[in-house]
Amino acid sequence: MTAGSATLAATLESVAPPGTVEKPGAPEPGRRVVFEVEQTDGTRVLRRQLVSATSQNAALQVPQDALGDGDCRWRVRVQDGPAASEWTAWCGFAVRTG
């Protein structure tokens, strides 16, 4: 990332909680999605929970001032009622503002 703010996006089908069953034609309930962003040394940058409008995708717009120069990583998990997925593997990215 070199300018502006980052958007983190996840396909929820790949991180759906165990036992989740999609019923064709059923109304989409939305799922709670938790994003975490850290510097690679483990310092937390942000943790945000949102409700996805669909059961397939979720995106988080990271505030521009939340990230400084350096290497970062992010992960996501989904909560659907009492069930929760495992965290995804960390995904790294670099921020260069200058």
Side-chain angles (χ1 to χ4, degrees), residues 2-88:
T2 57
S5 61
T7 300
L8 307 176
T11 301
L12 303 183
E13 293 168 353
S14 64
V15 294
T20 299
V21 177
E22 296 291 329
K23 296 178 183 173
E28 303 295 340
R31 293 189 176 126
R32 288 184 298 158
V33 182
V34 181
F35 286 88
E36 287 189 339
V37 179
E38 294 182 348
Q39 296 173 347
T40 54
D41 68 2
T43 302
R44 182 178 286 171
V45 174
L46 68 85
R47 180 183 172 114
R48 293 282 192 290
Q49 179 176 294
L50 56 92
V51 175
S52 172
T54 73
S55 64
Q56 287 85 28
N57 302 298
L60 173 68
Q61 186 78 33
V62 179
Q64 187 171 355
D65 61 350
L67 300 171
D69 280 349
D71 294 327
C72 295
R73 61 189 184 178
W74 70 281
R75 65 184 181 171
V76 65
R77 75 183 294 176
V78 178
Q79 296 174 303
D80 191 2
S85 71
E86 296 294 322
W87 285 102
T88 61

Side-chain angles (χ1 to χ4, degrees), residues 82-98:
S85 71
E86 296 294 322
W87 285 102
T88 61
W90 287 105
C91 181
F93 64 99
V95 179
R96 306 289 180 253
T97 60

